[in-house]
Amino acid sequence: MEVLLINRPNHICKTRALLALILLMWVPMEVMAGTENATHLSTRPSSLNIGALFTLNSVIGRAAKPAIYAAIDDVNSDPSILPRTKLEVILHDTNCSGFLGTVEALQLIENDVVAAIGPQSSGIAHVISHVVNELHVPLLSFAATDPSLAALQYPYFVRTTQSDHFQMFAVADVVEYFGWREVIAIFVDDDCGRNGISILGDALAKKRSKISHKAAFSPGASNNTINELLVGVNLMESRVYVVHVNPDSGLTIFSVAKSLGMMTAGYVWIATDWLPSHLDSLESPGLDTMNLVQGVVALRHHTPDTDLKKSFMSRWKKIKHEGSSGFNSYALYAYDSIWLAARALEVFFNEGGKISFSDDPKLKDTNRSSLHLTSLRIFDGGQQYLQTILKMNFTGVSGQIQFDQDKYLVHPAYEILNIGGTGSRRIGYWSNSTGLSVIAPEILYKKPFSTNTTAQLYSVIWPGETTAIPRGWVFPNNGTPLRIGVPYRVSFQDFVAKDKSPPGVRGYCIDVFEAAVNLLPYAVPRNYVLYGNGKRNPEYSNLVFEVAQSNFDAAVGDVTITTNRTRMVDFTQPYMESGLVVVVPVKEQKTSPWAFLKPFTYQMWLVTGAFFLFVGAVVWILEHRMNQEFRGPPRKQLMTIFWFSFSTMFFSHRENTVSTLGRLVLIIWLFVVLIINSSYTASLTSILTVQQLTSRIEGIDSLIASNDPIGVQDGSFAWKYLVDELNIAESRLVKLKTMEHYIEALQYGPKRGGVAAIVDELPYIELFMSNTKCKFRTVGQEFTKSGWGFAFQRDSPLAVDLSTAILQLSENGDLKKIRNKWLSHNVCSIQMNEVDSNRLSLTSFWGLFLICGVACFLSLTVFFCRILCQYRRFIPEAVEGDVEEIGPPSRRSRPSIRSTSFKNLMDFVDTKEEKIKHLLKRKGSDGKHDEASKHDEASPSSDGQAHSPS
């Protein structure tokens, strides 16, 4: 106990000493950490300069200025961003001048800014990008949308808004959605306008559309200049206009267009984001302003409705400066640009970055210049700071701020607006990953790709307050009618020919074209121009080439649609079917005296004859035992078989069938005979009534295999087809100019300087044979399939509208009436009749023969099974007397039926059924009598035993 009391104070002292040591060690560590943090913070500058460069007095500038100041205030008041460092903004006005903007940019860089915000002008951005590249100062542009600024040439240019690259693809999707093929681009001829429209052309090309005309005007153009521009535009076909200008002067376009009557029904106006930016920036757009843009479809940057954006919007009236305009989407991008620079600086400092500037040895002052170029210094940490900016990822008031590998903001999206009344109506969205949709892109991003909706928009109220989708083009109102090339034919002039009366041409093809044009809902002024010298048919391929070269607006006539021609021009729906056929001279073949044998092939004759005999024999076997008509001497029975067999061909057989099996076989056989007779009669009728023609040429294959000359119509594509596709030597081809040449060449033949056959299109051959009273015929089948159509220049809207009109003519019967008017003559059998095609082979009847054969086999099987059963019942109990009664007198001397043999069986089969039944019946009664006798003999014996005396 004493020991414990003595040691306790020592233990307490040791514990206290240990705690004191730990405390002494911890205090220096905390001091050291605080010192390190303080040292880290002390390396940051107390203030940093960020430059802002844009046109203050502009639609974009008036919205961006208060947003930038608000962002600076918010950053400086946020303790988590750049503590102990105050951001200062240095604002310079470019005054919408490329030269002044460059000067202002140089003055701005003199202030040792770490980043520059702006400019809004793409032209100024191009110049300033070279400056910041040299001085390593990141340039964050919230409004320069020129797609070419994304080039590798400008590494320090960072776009914090959406590029026009995506906006133009959105416009192209809208154009495709409504089915337009051509647009007219109206734009300011500066860097932003030219490059944006260039991207639009590429985007439309991917949709199989195009810019038919580029209407450019210089910046600051007068109303008279714009008026002249729109007057020229209004004379063109397209009625779809894409307006890509700046928001400060863009409304002048619509003011002039309205005065020219171009804001009415039938016109389509698509404006890029400049128009919503202008309208949004106005406190309350007046009726005069809104009346200028009624029915316009416009695109606006889409920014998700986040809480951060709603908070910013609620503060807008408080943060905007006096004299500034209303809000537009560029204010959001300007606000986020400041925050992007600040957040990147925070990361930059945390990663050990330092702010320092050094002189550029390339910049030297000269005695003759007052420009102090040496005041421009290089930002030493600019490269590191740039990479930090490009890696940032945060949510701003405009949405997600994150850059892809091409330095574009991720998830570019636009709203599709329809201007009407006193405001605008959103009809859908567009994003680069979901396309057109009525659902917001941020919602679609959350869904699997397969569930994304297809392209769709809400209905649009177009200029003129119409909801019907405009056609998008009209016939040009410039007073110049269409120049239509018409082949000047010298043969087959029923199709197209020169005419003395207006319109100067006539024929089937012309009537079809005129009827189709009359169905169009608009007038089509036109002049027909004959193509050719009138001495020979023109080369149709050359006529099509003239259309492709814009020497003609269209080609109307018997123009065949071929693959090579479709590469040059656009064709309408075919109004006449066509195809190459072979026509030959023929000789009439006299009917042969043995023509009655031609309906059946020899195999069919042999099988049919064999079945007649086979069925006759089967019926004889089935009827022989019970039918007296099938009995008698062997010679008589053989004659009965032959007579009965072939008399069934005419259903004149006299013998009646009494057995069930015999009747079954006869019924099936008579059905087969009925089918054979009917087929034979029809085939023989066809062979004897249709005129038989023969020719050495049987079709295109035999024509190719021969070395005979071939006639081809002058100017036809058949010449090139036979040479290029079928490899026929040109030396074998003979050009024929007129129908008389056709007749002479075929009648003379190869030996007399003519041709063996003519290859031409079916419509010509039909007319040719009709006019020659069917003296010629075609052989083989059509070996090409094509049609006739009207040729127009590439992407001509008339080709589409006339195709619809041709289909309407076909549906209402007018096309057939026109054909009957010009081409209704003697109708010839277009193809030679071939005897072999009418001959009936065994293939067509083997099923019937199979059924009949199976019926005969089954009947014989049943018959013989029945005979064997009777024979087995009869043989064991038969007696000699019975044998004598069965067979004929000559066979009754046989000793016993027990000695069975094949001859006995045949005798049994040959015996009448009635007699067999009688014997079996008698045998049965005798058996019963014998049993009774045995029973009677046994009964007396038992009685005797019963009554015998004891």
Side-chain angles (χ1 to χ4, degrees):
M1 180 67 69
E2 293 179 359
V3 174
L4 291 176
L5 291 175
I6 293 172
N7 292 339
R8 183 175 180 183
N10 294 333
H11 177 71
I12 295 174
C13 291
K14 290 181 180 179
T15 303
R16 290 178 178 176
L18 181 60
L19 292 175
L21 180 61
I22 294 174
L23 180 62
L24 290 174
M25 293 179 62
W26 176 77
V27 171
M29 291 177 60
E30 184 68 20
V31 173
M32 290 176 62
T35 303
E36 182 180 354
N37 189 31
T39 303
H40 181 69
L41 292 176
S42 64
T43 60
R44 299 187 181 189
S46 60
S47 66
L48 286 174
N49 293 332
I50 292 182
L53 187 69
F54 52 89
T55 301
L56 301 181
N57 188 23
S58 65
V59 171
I60 296 176
R62 288 190 293 269
K65 181 180 177 181
I68 289 176
Y69 281 120
I72 291 292
D73 293 340
D74 291 344
V75 169
N76 289 332
S77 62
D78 190 338
S80 64
I81 302 296
L82 300 177
R84 300 185 184 181
T85 300
K86 182 179 181 181
L87 286 185
E88 300 286 349
V89 60
I90 301 175
L91 193 62
H92 282 250
D93 190 358
T94 60
N95 292 307
C96 287
S97 171
F99 172 73
L100 293 178
T102 305
V103 174
E104 293 291 337
L106 294 175
Q107 295 177 354
L108 182 64
I109 301 298
E110 287 181 347
N111 297 302
D112 290 341
V113 296
V114 295
I117 308 300
Q120 70 187 65
S121 169
S122 298
I124 299 175
H126 279 280
V127 178
I128 299 177
S129 293
H130 293 286
V131 177
V132 297
N133 287 349
E134 181 69 22
L135 302 179
H136 298 179
V137 177
L139 179 63
L140 310 181
S141 178
F142 60 88
T145 57
D146 179 5
S148 65
L149 286 169
L152 298 177
Q153 182 183 8
Y154 309 114
Y156 281 87
F157 177 85
V158 180
R159 197 194 321 267
T160 57
T161 185
Q162 302 298 344
S163 170
D164 280 342
H165 173 88
F166 301 106
Q167 181 170 211
M168 294 308 166
F169 273 86
V171 172
D173 281 352
V174 171
V175 171
E176 181 192 33
Y177 178 82
F178 290 108
W180 302 311
R181 292 300 179 190
E182 294 184 3
V183 303
I184 293 178
I186 303 174
F187 61 99
V188 177
D189 195 8
D190 58 9
D191 291 330
C192 182
R194 284 191 305 272
N195 295 327
I197 295 303
S198 176
I199 296 297
L200 176 62
D202 295 340
L204 289 173
K206 293 182 179 180
K207 308 294 183 182
R208 301 188 66 183
S209 302
K210 70 176 183 178
I211 299 176
S212 60
H213 179 71
K214 295 181 179 180
F217 58 92
S218 60
S222 63
N223 286 8
N224 290 334
T225 302
I226 295 176
N227 185 80
E228 293 177 1
L229 181 75
L230 293 184
V231 167
V233 163
N234 198 33
L235 296 177
M236 300 178 182
E237 290 183 359
S238 179
R239 283 292 182 265
V240 181
Y241 306 121
V242 177
V243 184
H244 186 52
V245 295
N246 60 71
D248 294 288
S249 59
L251 285 181
T252 306
I253 297 290
F254 293 107
S255 177
V256 175
K258 187 172 181 62
S259 65
L260 295 176
M262 298 174 66
M263 299 299 296
T264 56
Y267 289 86
V268 177
W269 292 88
I270 301 175
T272 52
D273 65 283
W274 67 268
L275 180 57
S277 297
H278 178 83
L279 297 179
D280 291 343
S281 64
L282 300 177
E283 291 287 350
S284 57
L287 290 178
D288 293 339
T289 299
M290 296 305 299
N291 287 336
L292 297 178
V293 291
Q294 294 294 306
V296 176
V297 174
L299 279 72
R300 180 172 63 190
H301 298 118
H302 172 66
T303 54
D305 292 329
T306 60
D307 294 337
L308 193 60
K309 176 183 174 181
K310 294 177 181 178
S311 176
F312 177 80
M313 295 296 296
S314 64
R315 297 168 51 205
W316 177 253
K317 291 184 179 180
K318 298 179 181 179
I319 64 178
K320 71 176 184 178
H321 291 195
E322 183 179 356
S324 65
S325 61
F327 168 83
N328 59 48
S329 59
Y330 289 102
L332 299 177
Y333 293 116
Y335 182 86
D336 282 342
S337 298
I338 296 294
W339 271 98
L340 174 62
R343 289 177 180 272
L345 280 172
E346 178 66 24
V347 176
F348 174 76
F349 287 133
N350 291 336
E351 292 178 351
K354 296 182 179 180
I355 303 297
S356 62
F357 295 87
S358 59
D359 295 333
D360 188 350
K362 299 177 183 179
L363 299 177
K364 297 180 181 180
D365 292 337
T366 61
N367 295 330
R368 297 181 180 180
S369 175
S370 60
L371 296 176
H372 301 289
L373 298 179
T374 55
S375 62
L376 302 177
R377 299 194 299 170
I378 297 175
F379 178 20
D380 297 328
Q383 178 63 30
Q384 180 184 352
Y385 183 41
L386 173 65
Q387 297 304 319
T388 302
I389 290 174
L390 296 178
K391 294 177 182 178
M392 295 302 298
N393 184 5
F394 67 96
T395 301
V397 294
S398 62
Q400 186 177 1
I401 305 299
Q402 183 183 0
F403 299 95
D404 60 17
Q405 60 182 2
D406 296 321
K407 296 196 303 184
Y408 290 125
L409 284 177
V410 297
H411 301 318
Y414 291 86
E415 296 177 0
I416 314 298
L417 307 178
N418 182 206
I419 312 298
T422 58
S424 62
R425 179 173 59 94
R426 185 170 56 216
I427 60 174
Y429 302 88
W430 179 93
S431 75
N432 66 327
S433 58
T434 61
L436 295 175
S437 174
V438 295
I439 303 175
E442 58 269 19
I443 298 177
L444 293 178
Y445 294 151
K446 300 176 182 179
K447 298 181 179 180
F449 181 77
S450 59
T451 60
N452 288 348
T453 56
T454 57
Q456 55 180 332
L457 295 173
Y458 291 119
S459 61
V460 179
I461 300 177
W462 304 100
E465 297 183 355
T466 177
T467 56
I469 299 175
R471 183 185 299 109
W473 79 280
V474 295
F475 192 81
N477 189 24
N478 54 12
T480 304
L482 285 177
R483 281 175 50 85
I484 299 177
V486 178
Y488 194 175
R489 294 192 60 87
V490 297
S491 63
F492 299 104
Q493 295 187 352
D494 290 336
F495 295 105
V496 60
K498 181 181 179 180
D499 193 22
K500 296 181 180 179
S501 59
V505 288
R506 60 178 176 82
Y508 166 74
C509 302
I510 302 301
D511 281 6
V512 172
F513 181 75
E514 289 288 332
V517 169
N518 291 334
L519 291 178
L520 299 180
Y522 49 87
V524 181
R526 54 199 178 275
N527 288 333
Y528 294 103
V529 181
L530 291 171
Y531 180 77
N533 55 18
K535 298 180 181 179
R536 55 179 296 183
N537 294 334
E539 290 289 339
Y540 279 59
S541 295
N542 294 340
L543 173 59
V544 173
F545 183 74
E546 291 292 328
V547 175
Q549 294 297 312
S550 300
N551 295 326
F552 291 112
D553 296 305
V556 172
D558 47 341
V559 182
T560 304
I561 303 173
T562 64
T563 303
N564 291 333
R565 293 173 183 176
T566 56
R567 295 191 180 105
M568 296 186 291
V569 297
D570 284 348
F571 282 94
T572 62
Q573 171 80 15
Y575 63 88
M576 167 76 87
E577 292 184 359
S578 181
L580 293 178
V581 294
V582 179
V583 62
V584 296
V586 293
K587 295 180 181 179
E588 184 174 352
Q589 181 184 15
K590 296 181 180 179
T591 303
S592 170
W594 302 100
F596 68 91
L597 295 175
K598 292 181 179 179
F600 288 161
T601 60
Y602 75 93
Q603 296 95 336
M604 182 65 182
W605 281 117
L606 292 177
V607 173
T608 303
F611 257 84
F612 271 108
L613 296 176
F614 174 67
V615 172
V618 171
V619 173
W620 177 84
I621 293 173
L622 299 176
E623 294 288 324
H624 177 69
R625 300 185 68 205
M626 59 182 61
N627 193 339
Q628 186 62 35
E629 295 182 0
F630 287 87
R631 299 185 66 84
R635 181 178 180 182
K636 179 184 176 183
Q637 295 183 46
L638 186 63
M639 292 300 299
T640 299
I641 292 174
F642 277 96
W643 170 254
F644 179 82
S645 298
F646 291 101
S647 62
T648 55
M649 180 185 300
F650 311 103
F651 304 97
S652 59
H653 50 283
R654 295 178 301 173
E655 294 80 7
N656 294 321
T657 54
V658 296
S659 67
T660 303
L661 295 176
R663 289 177 178 177
L664 174 63
V665 171
L666 184 61
I667 289 174
I668 295 176
W669 173 244
L670 290 179
F671 174 73
V672 174
V673 169
L674 175 65
I675 300 299
I676 293 176
N677 281 345
S678 301
S679 303
Y680 176 86
T681 303
S683 180
L684 182 62
T685 302
S686 175
I687 292 174
L688 295 178
T689 57
V690 177
Q691 187 181 27
Q692 303 298 320
L693 302 172
T694 61
S695 172
R696 187 167 53 87
I697 303 298
E698 299 178 353
I700 186 62
D701 294 331
S702 59
L703 185 61
I704 294 174
S706 69
N707 293 319
D708 296 330
I710 303 171
V712 180
Q713 183 182 169
D714 190 19
S716 172
F717 81 98
W719 180 290
K720 187 174 180 63
Y721 181 84
L722 294 176
V723 173
D724 295 343
E725 302 296 333
L726 302 183
N727 298 320
I728 296 177
E730 290 191 24
S731 58
R732 292 181 57 191
L733 304 183
V734 179
K735 289 186 177 180
L736 304 176
K737 297 181 179 180
T738 64
M739 193 179 298
E740 289 74 18
H741 291 165
Y742 275 43
I743 299 174
E744 292 175 0
L746 289 174
Q747 289 179 343
Y748 288 161
K751 296 181 180 179
R752 299 170 55 191
V755 296
I758 293 176
V759 175
D760 206 348
E761 295 182 73
L762 183 59
Y764 301 123
I765 296 304
E766 287 179 337
L767 186 61
F768 167 68
M769 293 194 306
S770 176
N771 291 340
T772 55
K773 298 180 180 179
C774 306
K775 292 182 179 180
F776 304 94
R777 288 289 189 275
T778 61
V779 292
Q781 302 292 330
E782 293 180 60
F783 55 93
T784 64
K785 289 292 184 181
S786 58
W788 291 354
F790 305 127
F792 288 87
Q793 295 178 11
R794 273 291 193 186
D795 300 321
S796 173
L798 267 176
V800 178
D801 287 355
L802 280 176
S803 294
T804 304
I806 290 172
L807 291 175
Q808 187 175 348
L809 288 175
S810 178
E811 291 172 357
N812 60 24
D814 290 343
L815 195 60
K816 184 176 182 181
K817 293 178 182 178
I818 297 173
R819 180 166 183 165
N820 292 337
K821 171 187 174 182
W822 289 97
L823 308 177
S824 178
H825 301 291
N826 298 328
V827 179
C828 299
S829 177
I830 192 63
Q831 199 165 7
M832 288 175 50
N833 178 54
E834 298 179 357
V835 176
D836 290 341
S837 63
N838 293 322
R839 301 188 71 181
L840 300 174
S841 65
L842 183 62
T843 306
S844 303
F845 298 94
W846 71 269
L848 288 173
F849 288 126
L850 178 63
I851 294 173
C852 185
V854 170
C856 293
F857 176 77
L858 294 177
S859 299
L860 289 175
T861 301
V862 173
F863 174 77
F864 283 112
C865 288
R866 185 167 172 268
I867 291 294
L868 290 176
C869 290
Q870 289 180 348
Y871 188 65
R872 291 182 62 184
R873 289 173 54 196
F874 185 79
I875 289 301
E877 304 296 336
V879 294
E880 184 178 353
D882 295 335
V883 176
E884 293 176 357
E885 293 181 8
I886 293 177
S890 60
R891 299 181 182 178
R892 292 179 184 174
S893 59
R894 295 180 181 178
S896 174
I897 200 170
R898 295 180 185 274
S899 57
T900 59
S901 66
F902 180 75
K903 291 182 179 181
N904 299 137
L905 178 61
M906 289 298 101
D907 291 340
F908 184 82
V909 172
D910 188 56
T911 305
K912 284 187 176 182
E913 179 75 15
E914 182 180 356
K915 191 171 184 178
I916 293 296
K917 290 181 178 180
H918 175 70
L919 292 175
L920 291 175
K921 184 176 180 182
R922 192 181 70 177
K923 184 184 119 176
S925 61
D926 291 344
K928 292 180 180 179
H929 183 269
D930 293 339
E931 291 179 359
S933 300
K934 293 179 181 180
H935 180 70
D936 293 338
E937 291 176 358
S939 296
S941 174
S942 59
D943 291 341
Q945 294 174 359
H947 298 282
S948 61
S950 55

